[in-house]
Amino acid sequence: MNCIIVFLKEDPKMKIKNTDKLRYAFRAIVFKEMGDHFRNKRMLILFGIILLTCIGSLYTAISGLKNATPAEETESSFFFLKLFTLSDGTLPAYFVFISFLGPLLGIGLGFDTINSEQNKGTLSRMLAQPIPRDYVLNAKFTAALLVIAILFFSLSFLVIGAGLIALSIPPTAEEFMRIMCFTFVSVIYVALWLNLSVYFSVCFRQPTTAALAGIAVWLFFTVFAPLLINLILKTLEPSPYAPPYSQYAFQQFQFAIIQLIPNELYSQATSTLLMPTIRNLGPLTIEQIQGAIPGPLPLGQSILIVWPQLTGMIAVTMACFILSYLRFMRKEIRSR
Amino acid sequence: MHTSIIEVSSLTKLYGNFTAVDSLSLSIEKGEVFGLLGPNGAGKSTTILMLMGLTEPTAGNIRVCGLDPVRNPIEIKRKVGYLPEDVGFYDDLTGLENLRYTARLNGIPELEANTKAHKLLYDVGLEEHINKKTGQYSRGMRQRLGLADVLIKDPEVIILDEPTLGIDPAGIREFLDLIIRLSKDEGITVVFSSHHLQQVQQVCDRVGIFSKGKMHLCSLSEKDINLDELYYRFFEGGPKNEN
Ligand SMILES: Nc1ncnc2c1ncn2[C@@H]1O[C@H](COP(=O)(O)OP(=O)(O)OP(=O)(O)O)[C@@H](O)[C@H]1O
Ligand SMILES: [Mg+2]
């Protein structure tokens, strides 16, 4: 009898112990990586750039809002959200800045994830420890993601705080929730670029090559892809006298092809979240518009509108992740 | 009864058309000290990588502690310590911190890890450099730290790839003594690769002499085998034939 009890007691304990050890190892990697990120000079530079742009666009937004404060309008028009979207033309608005600089942050955090460990000779030592290979990828990704989340949420709170002081109007609950959603979407957007650069760091032995590859993709999507898409759309554009259905199909096509650009997904999602008056993103027919009451949407409806964009971004992130996983799992790990 | 802890049969590794390891069969017993001897590019490191599941064999079977490194790499890595050739550390951490990090990856509780790390650093002769950043370590100091790093998980088997590279003569003697002590006192199986016949002769029970992916087994207890001759045949003979 004693024997059985001992047996029952021992067996599950042993099992839990190993999974506990794994969780412990995972946490150890995450903490170490986060510490490395925060200590890194490169991170300081990236944080500095983003902080400066944030302060710059916040300044223009606040001065713009102060000049034109129709006091009675503040309640209904989501005054507080304008901190994130307003621009006087000299500097882009905050969310436009993030759509431009976010990729740089993601690439900067991820481009040497695996290859630098390999070049230092620590990767083979790390993989000789009893942890699954994908833990290395997962933990490093988690660490970078946490760093990004901390950065963005603190920036958002900074903007809210500055807005409180400068405008002396508190945000409504809905405005606050919208800002949080916006921040969350920003984190996902940067995570996408992070995962892409992690993939490059698995592919290329030289960190500089990986960084350049990431920057190339970024430039392609911010500069060349819009040009290319414009070119395609120009050649396909129906004449103004074409039948309405072909006009409509063209509009649909235009909407679809633009969404191949991740930056565009992000701007669509965030502008909808930050401007409650945006009621839809694609083309609409006259019948669809008929009877619509102009006015702001509740948050839930806004989220519904951007749901496709959101899942799109998450899907691309997952795709990058799976690619790096496949590439990394069966890779030969020589010492250097 | 002898129990073999590493069991390899007709192991082959191809890189494209190039055969790095050619149908190798080998059985290493528990508590044995086994040396892999051979010139550059003979396939020693490749064999070791396959034992650790860090690269996949093209053909053949491997059993380490009764487990298959392709299917069960994690279980094996709990029991086997591996020191890669030209080992690297996190330059901005001290020797002690590097060891503690490895301990964490092995799921060793913090307190235990700390005492173990101190003891091991003392054992490998780094007690004066415990709190020095590894970026400031010399080549030999890194190699010594590597040995401590391997031992922190209390392994049953240690596989060392050219562990004596860069260590000074006195250090090599200490190191070889340490290996003998580990195998005698704690029953750890040791597999290590080297270019130096002398070192291997001093500590190993058996050696496998590698040449162009093939291995020739010799037992050092058999007095009639002229190891020197074999060694020269493999090391000097190869290039000479080509010239
Ligand atoms: N990724 C690779 N692709 C092609 N050939 C490779 C690769 N890695 C190793 N080789 C070849 O495999 C052979 C065995 O290499 P290995 O590293 O096992 O040699 P070694 O015995 O450890 O030599 P050394 O004493 O120099 O460490 C070499 O001829 C090498 O050129
Ligand atoms: Mg080698």
Side-chain angles (χ1 to χ4, degrees):
Chain A
M1 191 61 199
N2 258 345
C3 227
I4 294 170
I5 290 172
V6 168
F7 182 75
L8 283 177
K9 264 189 188 160
E10 288 286 58
D11 197 37
K13 223 183 189 174
M14 289 300 289
K15 278 218 173 96
I16 289 167
K17 232 182 159 184
N18 276 350
T19 54
D20 269 356
K21 276 184 180 174
L22 285 182
R23 207 172 307 134
Y24 184 66
F26 188 84
R27 255 205 313 261
I29 305 178
V30 172
F31 282 143
K32 176 179 177 297
E33 290 299 318
M34 281 178 74
D36 283 354
H37 282 313
F38 281 121
R39 269 195 299 272
N40 208 330
K41 298 254 166 32
R42 178 205 327 154
M43 250 17 266
L44 229 59
I45 295 172
L46 284 172
F47 286 0
I49 293 176
I50 295 208
L51 192 70
L52 277 184
T53 55
C54 170
I55 291 174
S57 51
L58 185 67
Y59 177 75
T60 52
I62 287 179
S63 53
L65 283 176
K66 270 194 172 160
N67 291 341
T69 319
E72 69 281 1
E73 223 196 304
T74 51
E75 288 291 308
S76 58
S77 65
F78 292 94
F79 196 68
F80 215 82
L81 294 180
K82 294 217 168 97
L83 281 177
F84 290 84
T85 56
L86 201 73
S87 116
D88 61 356
T90 51
L91 269 181
Y94 179 59
F95 82 102
V96 180
F97 254 132
I98 297 296
S99 92
F100 181 70
L101 287 177
L104 199 63
L105 181 66
I107 292 168
L109 277 169
F111 76 91
D112 63 350
T113 309
I114 299 297
N115 47 19
S116 77
E117 292 254 358
Q118 173 120 47
N119 291 335
K120 271 187 288 185
T122 47
L123 186 65
S124 73
R125 212 162 48 80
M126 196 173 191
L127 292 181
Q129 311 310 328
I131 41 170
R133 269 194 198 193
D134 53 326
Y135 265 46
V136 178
L137 280 181
N138 292 355
K140 284 179 173 251
F141 173 71
T142 311
L145 193 69
L146 283 176
V147 170
I148 294 168
I150 291 173
L151 174 72
F152 275 156
F153 276 97
S154 35
L155 274 183
S156 287
F157 284 121
L158 195 85
V159 173
I160 293 175
L164 266 176
I165 295 170
L167 305 173
S168 49
I169 319 164
T172 60
E174 162 134 18
E175 279 170 333
F176 181 75
M177 285 316 290
R178 277 178 185 274
I179 291 170
M180 290 300 108
C181 289
F182 156 74
T183 314
F184 180 69
V185 173
S186 305
V187 172
I188 290 181
Y189 175 62
V190 177
L192 185 161
W193 291 95
L194 173 70
N195 250 337
L196 185 77
S197 67
V198 169
Y199 173 62
F200 285 139
S201 89
V202 177
C203 289
F204 301 115
R205 259 311 271 276
Q206 295 301 326
T208 39
T209 315
L212 275 177
I215 289 176
V217 175
W218 171 51
L219 280 182
F220 174 78
F221 278 122
T222 42
V223 180
F224 298 112
L227 281 179
L228 212 66
I229 284 176
N230 260 343
L231 216 68
I232 294 172
L233 288 178
K234 277 244 172 66
T235 56
L236 291 179
E237 193 174 10
S239 82
Y241 309 110
Y245 66 85
S246 74
Q247 302 253 14
Y248 183 68
F250 174 73
Q251 292 289 330
Q252 289 278 12
F253 174 70
Q254 181 176 13
F255 182 61
I257 195 170
I258 276 180
Q259 289 191 321
L260 290 178
I261 309 177
N263 312 23
E264 198 57 38
L265 288 182
Y266 173 74
S267 337
Q268 286 179 359
T270 46
S271 55
T272 310
L273 285 173
L274 289 175
M275 300 176 201
T277 41
I278 292 182
R279 303 179 60 91
N280 87 308
L281 291 165
L284 286 179
T285 57
I286 300 282
E287 296 95 80
Q288 279 170 317
I289 297 174
Q290 252 171 15
I293 306 155
L297 286 180
L299 177 59
Q301 295 297 315
S302 289
I303 290 178
L304 269 185
I305 289 179
V306 301
W307 198 248
Q309 276 76 8
L310 210 60
T311 39
M313 280 199 280
I314 293 176
V316 178
T317 313
M318 296 298 274
C320 288
F321 190 75
I322 288 168
L323 281 180
S324 32
Y325 180 85
L326 288 179
R327 187 103 190 198
F328 188 56
M329 284 313 271
R330 306 191 59 183
K331 199 178 161 132
E332 172 177 290
I333 310 292
R334 289 214 169 235
S335 47
R336 248 177 234 234
Chain B
M1 199 192 86
H2 292 300
T3 45
S4 58
I5 199 154
I6 295 177
E7 187 84 63
V8 171
S9 61
S10 51
L11 184 66
T12 303
K13 177 75 186 180
L14 299 178
Y15 288 110
N17 288 327
F18 179 78
T19 313
V21 175
D22 194 358
S23 48
L24 179 105
S25 294
L26 173 68
S27 158
I28 299 175
E29 270 150 32
K30 201 166 165 31
E32 194 176 14
V33 180
F34 190 90
L36 305 175
L37 197 61
N40 294 135
K44 305 180 296 290
S45 301
T46 311
T47 308
I48 290 177
L49 287 184
M50 287 190 283
L51 290 180
M52 289 304 296
L54 291 175
T55 187
E56 283 182 25
T58 312
N61 267 316
I62 312 175
R63 281 280 173 284
V64 179
C65 304
L67 298 159
D68 181 356
V70 180
R71 300 249 176 79
N72 244 331
I74 298 162
E75 280 306 310
I76 288 184
K77 286 165 187 170
R78 268 188 233 290
K79 297 176 179 166
V80 183
Y82 163 60
L83 176 67
E85 55 185 338
D86 196 7
V87 61
F89 292 94
Y90 299 106
D91 286 348
D92 49 347
L93 300 183
T94 65
L96 182 66
E97 283 165 346
N98 266 297
L99 282 193
R100 287 217 300 241
Y101 184 54
T102 307
R104 273 183 219 130
L105 295 183
N106 281 283
I108 301 171
E110 210 65 22
L111 210 65
E112 191 188 335
N114 205 20
T115 46
K116 246 187 199 165
H118 274 98
K119 184 185 167 297
L120 283 170
L121 281 168
Y122 185 82
D123 282 351
V124 298
L126 285 176
E127 64 272 21
E128 286 167 28
H129 311 287
I130 281 182
N131 290 319
K132 201 184 214 175
K133 298 252 157 79
T134 48
Q136 299 160 8
Y137 272 27
S138 70
R139 173 93 174 71
M141 282 156 76
R142 272 208 302 278
Q143 204 69 35
R144 286 163 187 251
L145 184 61
L147 189 65
D149 186 72
V150 166
L151 292 174
I152 201 157
K153 62 169 115 164
D154 286 329
E156 291 173 24
V157 183
I158 51 179
I159 302 181
L160 314 169
D161 202 349
E162 287 172 40
T164 54
L165 207 69
I167 300 187
D168 54 50
I172 289 182
R173 212 171 314 118
E174 285 167 30
F175 171 80
L176 295 178
D177 286 343
L178 181 63
I179 284 189
I180 294 175
R181 210 185 70 219
L182 286 172
S183 108
K184 289 260 158 59
D185 299 351
E186 307 185 25
I188 296 178
T189 313
V190 183
V191 178
F192 84 97
S193 79
S194 174
H195 299 133
H196 298 282
L197 178 64
Q198 283 173 326
Q199 294 169 14
V200 172
Q201 250 173 333
Q202 277 177 45
V203 291
C204 292
D205 305 317
R206 284 192 304 157
V207 279
I209 298 186
F210 276 70
S211 174
K212 294 184 183 160
K214 294 225 183 265
M215 196 190 70
H216 189 285
L217 258 184
C218 319
S219 171
L220 288 182
S221 51
E222 294 170 34
K223 288 284 181 285
D224 51 317
I225 280 189
N226 189 344
L227 195 67
D228 287 343
E229 195 204 302
L230 262 179
Y231 180 80
Y232 285 114
R233 207 174 81 215
F234 279 111
F235 275 64
E236 315 256 292
K240 251 182 212 158
N241 288 346
E242 278 164 22
N243 286 343

